[in-house]
Amino acid sequence: MFVFLKYLVRSSFNKKGRSILLILTITISTALLIGCIGAVKSAGSVYKEEAVRAYKDNNVLITSKNTKEFPFFDLDSIQKHEFKSYIPIINASGYLSGADDVNIILTGIMEKDYSKLPNYKLLKGYLEPFNENKIIISDKVSRTFKLNINDTLRANVRGNEHVFKVVAIVETSGPFLKDNEHQFTIIANKDYIQDIWGIGDFYSGIVVQLKDDVDEKKYVQYFNLVNDECSARLVYDTEEIERIAEGMSSFFFFMLFIVIIMSCFIIYSCFKLIVLERMPVVGTFLSLGATRGRILRLLLGESLVYAIISGIMAMFLGAGVIYLLSDMGNDLKEYGIATNPNYNVGDFVGGFIFAILIAVFSAMAPIISIRKKQVKDIILNTIGTIHKNSYILLSIGLIISIISLYVNFQEGNVATNLSPLIFFSFVIGVTISLPLIVNLAITPFKYVFQEVNVLFRLALNNIRTSKVLLNNIRLLTISIVSVMLIASVSLSIVSAFLDVSQKLDYDIIVQQGNDSLRVSSIINNNLYVKEIMESYDYEYAEVVGSQETLNIKAIEPNKYINFNNYFDYTDKEELFLELDKRKSNIALSSSIARKLNKKVGDTLILKLNNREVDYKIIGIYNAKLYNNGDINLISKESIQRDFGIFVPTEYVLKGNSGADKLLNSLEKELKGTMVKIRTKEEIVQENIDNNKAFLLILLFFALATGFLGAIGIFNNIGVSFIQRKKDFAILSSLGMTSFNNGLIVLFEGIITAVLSSIVGGGVSYIAVNISNKLFKLMDIDFPVFFDFKAILIVGVAICVIMITTSLPVILKSSKLSVVKELRYE
Amino acid sequence: MGYINAVEVHNVVKSYNVGFQKIDVLKNISFSVKKGEFLSIMGASGCGKSTLLYLIGGLDQATKGTIILNGKNLNKLKENEQSAMRRREVGFVFQFYNLVPNLTIEENILLPLLIDGKSYRKNKSKLNNILKIIQMEDKKNRYPNELSGGQQQRVAIARALLFEPEIILADEPTGNLDSKTGSEIMRLFKSINKDFNKTIIQVTHSEEAASYGTDILRIKDGEIESKKSNFKTG
């Protein structure tokens, strides 16, 4: 037993290069798995941290509905017997006098409530009595605007200047958490705010801590069901966060799956070689009476050695990946919310087990193949290394890929629903049948080069017949698919946003603030406004009888028809004509129609603002990336008539003297109303920036597959030379110079690069096509198109990789000892 | 004036360093092989006979001494010239055949010509002739692993003959064959020697195989024990 163990440990690290390759492969795939799981969990922790810092023990936020023109409520109308504690608030807004670009949120609270503010920590000052124009500011604002106790702050509110006196400076948390140089909160006595805002004893919100025995989720549901004036929401909604994380994480896991397939393939190939190399020793052990079972356990033990080392390394690397991915996804860093990676012991243990499983299972097939070999062949080591094509297996691979393609090009939802399966079966099918494809591609050239260049011809023949060289094409093909998928998705996302900008006809969008009447008046009277289109957006509208929610956009159909040329419509004129009728009609985006399983002519019951109305589906269009494909149109008249929503969410404007003049004028006039004014270019850039982290993380996976592919190839080229040393020696004995031997290796590298680029390019072209349906399945219905420029770059990069990785072997081939390889004495 | 000797070996020494020890495999060996001679080199395992053959074929370099092959001093040939000489003037036959496993029989036989940049099409008739001689016309599209040992060795001989080299070097050509096949192969060598007047140098353990040669050179511990004419005919 000891001898076997000693052999196991020694042989595991005999070939250092291969050991490193195996360890790196298992480590990278395991670390990415740990990283993905951890990062998805961490995504929520950032928002949780934000909620804790902003609201501490408060768990529900009640706000007046912004669908009303008077967005305030009477505190007595709210039932409070389930509240443990609460702070009623009144929010107004203005801007800092003398600094037009600094908005101020004026929050009014009762005098008795200031000490109940979440995370309240007084740093300087004295509040008693907290009345009149006295205000609390954050430490950050104090430092940014050099404001100290007893200093005054001048703010313009609804066109009038008001002077406030700083009486307290508190820690930058709770309501002050998001204070920055362009917008900050001040807290004053509610009577003062109500007075300057010109309303009576009304409030705009309540920060609530529910009693311990109250189910917060049920409370929110019930509250929203019975209240027309206000709505309640959880300050931290786990399900909502999970829903947001789910869309992106499914793509991460999809990419991870590609990395894992590649890793399995590398481990499998390495063990195939390990088994071949160990044959003489295995033969010796067998001849000494060792059982096959013991030999199998011995070789599986070798895979276990790699798995354990890699598993441990992956835990450390995985922790780094979790931090990196979490940090990339943390868009609240600017508010001082540190990345809080989720280091769950269970995930690390799971990762370790995964490392063992991936190593042992990938190594299993070549190891078990020993069972089929004759003991005599093992002892005499007469098992050949030449690739014998198993035409049945190759044909099965080809059939799998053809069936996958056939299903992919079928109409209807089948292809979409099966798209992940189609994707992987197609890629795996092609990978299996690759020797057949390569053989078919190479054979004609073999005859062409018969008369032209024997070295090239030999190189072609070697690629056709050498399993290791064929494996390089496999590795490169998988790498190309991964890289091209990511490059194409990235390019498509950016183009889709640019497409949105080109095909939506507007100059500026003004997003509603907290002073709707004033905003409406200013916009309607602005001299530079040529055309106004109001839009009423309602998120999470319910569909009675379905778990799905949808985003409703109420528009003016006669204007929207000219505004939106981005959607793919079947009959645009007809659709907007139907929406313009004084009926309850709705047009659905294709992803929502698919989710609801609805078609044109069907009806659904929409529930908005606690009102249920039957709507008829009069059209379906592809909204592509617009609001992630979830945008469903009804008319402005319908939303007002059926659901009593009268406040537009945004104004889509066209100017009569260009966008800049309109922008400058509106920015000036709408100061302090908390509106968000953005030009088309700003919106496009914002969308691209919002997706940067996502694209960066995808790039991370592409690099991982590229890196694994490159080290796999580097190893394979070395191995293929070692395996074929004798063949090169034979060629030398027949008069081949060592320079020409080196040229064969170089040609093999170049042919591999060209073939891989062609095959990988073709496979990735189809993979990108399938990914359209994959995105559709993830409810993102946008066209992913093949990045032809990227495939050229990838092709050149592969040529460079192949030539670079071939160079050490070319050098080795020049030092080949012919006698050593050929003589037997 | 043409050389009458196909091979001349003058004071050849071959030493290897094994660890810290220097081992002299060949110790100051000199002999010559006339054109048309069929020399069998014999000796016990490890006596240096194969090393000597590889030195003659230019596959290895002597530590000291000179080897002249077809009038050319191997020491003075550049790598490219040595390779060209191996293609055109010498044919090798090995104990384990050393065919390229992923090439067909036809491709294996044509390999030296193709490496030399000769046309595949133009040499097709030559190939067919040689396939006829080794009686393997019907197997030209097979791969080496589809043939028996004897058949593979016949292919290796055909490959060695294709370029019509003056000298054929054979390292234990029957060492991996049964006695019947071994005899067939030796008869083939004998006829090549007689009918085509080729110089053949073979290394062998077998007295029977050696008996097919015109001369026998015996080596013991790196030194020539004897070189005699062989009067028996095979």
Side-chain angles (χ1 to χ4, degrees):
Chain A
M1 189 65 205
F2 177 72
V3 175
F4 287 120
L5 198 67
K6 200 170 165 184
Y7 172 73
L8 172 71
V9 174
R10 280 193 182 169
S11 53
S12 297
F13 301 101
N14 213 3
K15 294 260 160 74
K16 287 183 190 67
R18 191 171 54 216
S19 302
I20 292 169
L21 169 70
L22 274 166
I23 290 168
L24 274 178
T25 306
I26 305 167
T27 303
I28 288 173
S29 48
T30 308
L32 282 179
L33 177 78
I34 296 172
C36 272
I37 295 170
V40 169
K41 288 181 180 169
S42 302
S45 68
V46 169
Y47 295 101
K48 196 169 189 173
E49 177 67 16
E50 183 199 12
V52 169
R53 292 226 201 154
Y55 300 103
K56 208 182 177 190
D57 298 327
N58 300 290
N59 42 4
V60 169
L61 200 62
I62 294 169
T63 50
S64 174
K65 283 188 179 167
N66 58 6
T67 52
K68 300 184 300 175
E69 285 178 342
F70 183 74
F72 304 100
F73 59 89
D74 180 356
L75 193 58
D76 292 337
S77 69
I78 307 290
Q79 294 284 337
K80 303 175 197 72
H81 51 262
E82 283 169 309
F83 295 178
K84 188 176 178 181
S85 83
Y86 65 97
I87 314 166
I89 55 169
I90 163 77
N91 274 336
S93 60
Y95 63 90
L96 190 66
S97 297
D100 293 357
D101 62 337
V102 182
N103 284 316
I104 300 176
I105 300 166
L106 301 100
T107 300
I109 57 168
M110 291 180 194
E111 188 180 355
K112 64 179 174 63
D113 282 345
Y114 71 83
S115 58
K116 287 199 284 184
L117 286 170
N119 296 311
Y120 176 79
K121 193 177 173 192
L122 183 68
L123 299 174
K124 269 186 215 172
Y126 185 71
L127 282 110
E128 306 274 340
F130 186 50
N131 57 10
E132 293 174 344
N133 65 341
K134 292 178 183 173
I135 55 165
I136 309 170
I137 61 166
S138 70
D139 180 44
K140 190 171 182 180
V141 168
S142 157
R143 280 185 280 112
T144 310
F145 296 96
K146 298 191 170 51
L147 291 168
N148 221 320
I149 299 296
N150 292 328
D151 283 353
T152 54
L153 181 147
R154 289 171 188 277
N156 190 306
V157 181
R158 284 189 161 170
N160 300 314
E161 192 168 278
H162 297 271
V163 179
F164 296 93
K165 186 181 172 189
V166 178
V167 293
I169 295 168
V170 297
E171 221 172 52
T172 313
S173 60
F176 306 102
L177 183 67
K178 292 192 173 180
D179 278 1
N180 62 47
E181 58 197 300
H182 295 297
Q183 182 170 306
F184 62 85
T185 297
I186 62 172
I187 291 182
N189 187 301
K190 62 108 184 164
D191 295 331
Y192 194 78
I193 301 294
Q194 282 168 343
D195 189 36
I196 62 171
W197 202 239
I199 56 166
D201 194 16
F202 289 97
Y203 292 85
S204 50
I206 316 175
V207 180
V208 179
Q209 184 186 2
L210 292 171
K211 283 179 181 164
D212 297 340
D213 58 346
V214 178
D215 182 322
E216 53 179 34
K217 212 163 196 111
K218 281 184 181 158
Y219 173 81
V220 167
Q221 271 175 355
Y222 180 73
F223 183 95
N224 288 333
L225 201 66
V226 297
N227 275 284
D228 283 340
E229 299 288 302
C230 303
S231 62
R233 70 171 176 88
L234 294 171
V235 298
Y236 177 71
D237 188 346
T238 321
E239 280 179 19
E240 171 64 8
I241 298 297
E242 278 171 4
R243 200 185 63 81
I244 295 169
E246 195 185 332
M248 282 192 174
S249 59
S250 49
F251 203 76
F252 294 162
F253 282 107
F254 179 80
M255 293 307 301
L256 175 69
F257 200 61
I258 296 183
V259 175
I260 292 171
I261 288 184
M262 198 153 167
S263 307
C264 289
F265 184 66
I266 293 174
I267 300 166
Y268 168 85
S269 309
C270 282
F271 267 89
K272 193 112 191 157
L273 276 172
I274 288 173
V275 167
L276 279 173
E277 280 177 12
R278 303 275 186 274
M279 278 306 170
V281 183
V282 166
T284 309
F285 285 160
L286 285 175
S287 67
L288 294 172
T291 60
R292 276 176 197 262
R294 172 164 276 187
I295 300 296
L296 294 185
R297 283 199 298 277
L298 186 73
L299 287 164
L300 280 176
E302 191 166 339
S303 69
L304 204 61
V305 170
Y306 292 121
I308 290 168
I309 295 168
S310 310
I312 294 166
M313 283 171 64
M315 288 194 203
F316 290 100
L317 190 62
V321 174
I322 293 176
Y323 184 82
L324 204 67
L325 292 180
S326 311
D327 197 58
M328 281 177 179
N330 179 7
D331 47 11
L332 296 167
K333 268 183 278 186
E334 58 177 310
Y335 303 119
I337 294 176
T339 304
N340 184 17
N342 186 314
Y343 295 125
N344 186 335
V345 179
D347 297 341
F348 285 88
V349 173
F352 187 77
I353 294 168
F354 170 81
I356 290 172
L357 292 179
I358 191 180
V360 172
F361 276 104
S362 306
M364 194 84 90
I367 291 172
I368 284 180
S369 69
I370 296 180
R371 281 168 57 183
K372 295 177 197 155
K373 311 275 189 250
Q374 293 295 323
V375 181
K376 183 203 88 177
D377 288 333
I378 297 172
I379 293 170
L380 295 176
N381 195 21
T382 51
I383 298 158
T385 54
I386 292 303
H387 179 44
K388 277 190 211 155
N389 289 334
S390 160
Y391 284 100
I392 295 171
L393 191 67
L394 300 184
S395 308
I396 288 171
L398 207 60
I399 290 165
I400 290 173
S401 42
I402 290 168
I403 291 173
S404 310
L405 277 185
Y406 176 76
V407 179
N408 179 52
F409 290 111
Q410 291 306 298
E411 295 289 327
N413 285 343
V414 181
T416 307
N417 294 334
L418 292 177
S419 54
L421 184 71
I422 292 171
F423 183 92
F424 287 112
S425 58
F426 174 71
V427 173
I428 292 169
V430 171
T431 312
I432 294 172
S433 59
L434 210 80
L436 196 64
I437 298 168
V438 169
N439 203 357
L440 288 173
I442 277 181
T443 306
F445 290 100
K446 215 181 96 179
Y447 292 107
V448 169
F449 281 96
Q450 195 145 261
E451 291 294 318
V452 181
N453 188 318
V454 70
L455 304 180
F456 206 78
R457 188 181 180 279
L458 286 171
L460 281 171
N461 196 50
N462 288 344
I463 288 173
R464 199 176 61 88
T465 53
S466 162
K467 204 163 194 172
V468 185
L469 295 181
L470 280 169
N471 278 349
N472 276 346
I473 300 178
R474 282 186 167 126
L475 280 176
L476 284 170
T477 302
I478 300 172
S479 301
I480 292 173
V481 168
S482 156
V483 171
M484 283 309 300
L485 198 63
I486 287 160
S488 300
V489 167
S490 305
L491 180 75
S492 304
I493 287 177
V494 174
S495 326
F497 287 134
L498 292 174
D499 207 28
V500 175
S501 107
Q502 279 163 6
K503 291 181 178 168
L504 296 184
D505 187 20
Y506 71 99
D507 290 328
I508 277 168
I509 288 181
V510 178
Q511 227 171 334
Q512 189 59 272
N514 66 347
D515 200 350
S516 61
L517 289 173
R518 189 173 144 81
V519 170
S520 169
S521 159
I522 290 171
I523 289 175
N524 278 293
N525 293 311
N526 189 285
L527 289 173
Y528 298 104
V529 172
K530 183 180 148 197
E531 211 174 298
I532 305 169
M533 188 180 70
E534 292 176 356
S535 171
Y536 301 72
D537 297 349
Y538 193 98
E539 286 185 331
Y540 306 120
E542 289 174 56
V543 176
V544 178
S546 163
Q547 293 295 310
E548 299 293 340
T549 59
L550 41 104
N551 286 324
I552 294 291
K553 193 173 192 69
I555 41 96
E556 298 168 82
N558 60 330
K559 292 179 182 172
Y560 202 80
I561 190 170
N562 299 321
F563 160 75
N564 192 332
N565 297 309
Y566 172 71
F567 294 176
D568 286 340
Y569 307 93
T570 38
D571 189 344
K572 192 180 178 186
E573 299 284 333
E574 176 70 15
L575 187 141
F576 285 102
L577 202 71
E578 286 294 322
L579 275 182
D580 213 11
K581 286 181 180 167
R582 289 171 175 253
K583 285 180 183 172
S584 298
N585 287 342
I586 187 169
L588 296 180
S589 63
S590 49
S591 65
I592 293 296
R594 201 177 62 80
K595 268 197 208 170
L596 294 171
N597 198 21
K598 295 280 186 192
K599 56 184 188 306
V600 174
D602 289 353
T603 55
L604 51 83
I605 305 167
L606 270 187
K607 187 178 176 188
L608 278 78
N609 232 5
N610 282 343
R611 297 187 201 177
E612 294 179 10
V613 180
D614 274 12
Y615 266 73
K616 186 184 172 192
I617 301 165
I618 50 89
I620 291 170
Y621 48 82
N622 184 357
K624 296 182 267 186
L625 269 193
Y626 200 120
N627 203 36
N628 289 334
D630 177 9
I631 191 102
N632 308 282
L633 303 175
I634 62 172
S635 69
K636 169 186 168 182
E637 200 188 303
S638 298
I639 206 165
Q640 291 181 340
R641 181 191 62 227
D642 293 340
F643 305 110
I645 295 171
F646 292 97
V647 180
T649 341
E650 57 185 31
Y651 295 89
V652 181
L653 307 176
K654 275 169 83 174
N656 50 26
S657 317
D660 291 343
K661 269 195 178 162
L662 179 61
L663 179 74
N664 291 337
S665 164
L666 286 176
E667 272 182 344
K668 208 170 175 182
E669 288 189 53
L670 290 168
K671 271 185 302 190
T673 56
M674 302 302 287
V675 292
K676 201 170 176 187
I677 310 171
R678 289 173 303 162
T679 61
K680 208 190 242 188
E681 289 71 30
E682 283 171 336
I683 291 172
V684 171
Q685 195 51 49
E686 205 172 281
N687 282 331
I688 293 172
D689 289 347
N690 286 344
N691 283 279
K692 248 181 193 162
F694 174 65
L695 297 177
L696 205 66
I697 293 169
L698 287 189
L699 185 71
F700 189 74
F701 284 98
L703 287 175
T705 43
F707 180 70
L708 280 181
I711 55 171
I713 288 159
F714 185 72
N715 178 66
N716 279 357
I717 292 178
V719 168
S720 77
F721 176 71
I722 293 167
Q723 278 189 343
R724 297 178 300 142
K725 262 177 161 177
K726 192 183 157 196
D727 297 351
F728 283 115
I730 294 171
L731 292 176
S732 292
S733 76
L734 297 175
M736 181 82 88
T737 60
S738 55
F739 176 75
N740 284 348
N741 271 338
L743 273 184
I744 292 179
V745 176
L746 187 68
F747 286 156
E748 284 171 357
I750 293 168
I751 296 165
T752 301
V754 173
L755 268 175
S756 307
S757 301
I758 295 169
V759 176
V763 175
S764 53
Y765 183 82
I766 295 166
V768 166
N769 181 292
I770 301 170
S771 73
N772 274 286
K773 296 189 176 74
L774 268 171
F775 276 102
K776 215 172 185 176
L777 192 68
M778 289 188 255
D779 299 322
I780 310 167
D781 202 349
F782 87 110
V784 184
F785 48 84
F786 192 70
D787 188 348
F788 284 98
K789 202 173 148 194
I791 190 71
L792 288 177
I793 299 168
V794 167
V796 172
I798 287 173
C799 272
V800 172
I801 290 174
M802 289 310 298
I803 292 170
T804 317
T805 47
S806 298
L807 287 177
V809 172
I810 293 170
L811 282 175
K812 269 187 207 168
S813 75
S814 66
K815 291 171 189 161
L816 184 78
S817 163
V818 180
V819 178
K820 198 175 153 194
E821 298 306 323
L822 295 183
R823 66 182 300 175
Y824 297 90
E825 263 189 285
Chain B
M1 195 182 114
Y3 262 73
I4 51 158
N5 287 333
V7 178
E8 286 177 20
V9 176
H10 299 289
N11 310 109
V12 164
V13 175
K14 180 70 185 173
S15 312
Y16 291 111
N17 288 318
V18 180
F20 296 107
Q21 212 181 347
K22 189 180 161 203
I23 295 172
D24 292 327
V25 182
L26 294 173
K27 300 165 187 165
N28 209 27
I29 279 189
S30 299
F31 67 95
S32 59
V33 183
K34 288 190 192 76
K35 280 188 178 170
E37 191 176 323
F38 185 168
L39 176 72
S40 299
I41 303 175
M42 292 196 73
S45 288
C47 72
K49 55 189 188 298
S50 286
T51 303
L52 179 60
L53 194 77
Y54 288 120
L55 290 175
I56 294 169
L59 291 175
D60 203 356
Q61 274 199 315
T63 312
K64 272 184 205 164
T66 314
I67 295 170
I68 295 167
L69 201 104
N70 272 349
K72 290 170 195 157
N73 185 342
L74 291 188
N75 291 346
K76 291 183 179 168
L77 293 181
K78 291 176 188 156
E79 200 221 327
N80 283 354
E81 292 168 333
Q82 280 201 11
S83 294
M85 186 206 76
R86 281 202 297 276
R87 291 198 295 270
R88 298 168 192 161
E89 297 176 41
V90 183
F92 268 102
V93 178
F94 300 94
Q95 181 183 356
F96 287 93
Y97 336 120
N98 284 348
L99 301 177
V100 182
N102 61 355
L103 295 178
T104 60
I105 299 315
E106 179 185 80
E107 290 166 331
N108 261 292
I109 294 173
L110 282 172
L111 206 48
L113 274 174
L114 298 177
I115 292 172
D116 202 50
K118 300 279 188 296
S119 163
Y120 176 83
R121 266 185 233 121
K122 285 178 189 165
N123 286 282
K124 206 103 204 221
S125 62
K126 209 171 190 180
L127 171 80
N128 291 335
N129 276 342
I130 213 135
L131 281 167
K132 210 179 273 178
I133 293 170
I134 62 165
Q135 295 161 13
M136 287 186 66
E137 296 134 293
D138 56 333
K139 292 188 173 65
K140 63 178 182 179
N141 290 321
R142 299 264 183 97
Y143 285 90
N145 61 355
E146 295 168 332
L147 303 182
S148 69
Q151 287 170 327
Q152 287 190 56
Q153 196 59 297
R154 295 217 300 266
V155 174
I157 293 167
R159 182 176 69 184
L161 286 174
L162 191 75
F163 229 121
E164 296 172 20
E166 281 303 313
I167 303 159
I168 292 166
L169 304 175
D171 185 11
E172 299 272 8
T174 58
N176 200 37
L177 303 173
D178 60 71
S179 60
K180 187 173 167 259
T181 317
S183 301
E184 278 173 25
I185 293 295
M186 287 320 299
R187 278 198 291 275
L188 187 60
F189 272 119
K190 187 76 195 165
S191 72
I192 290 164
N193 172 244
K194 272 177 87 174
D195 303 342
F196 301 102
N197 196 32
K198 301 287 174 200
T199 310
I200 298 176
I201 304 175
Q202 71 156 335
V203 161
T204 181
H205 275 103
S206 156
E207 290 288 349
E208 195 203 329
S211 68
Y212 285 88
T214 54
D215 294 82
I216 297 175
L217 178 79
R218 290 183 192 274
I219 295 181
K220 193 178 177 186
D221 298 331
E223 287 171 310
I224 293 175
E225 199 178 38
S226 66
K227 187 180 185 235
K228 289 178 191 164
S229 287
N230 182 27
F231 296 109
K232 282 189 279 177
T233 51

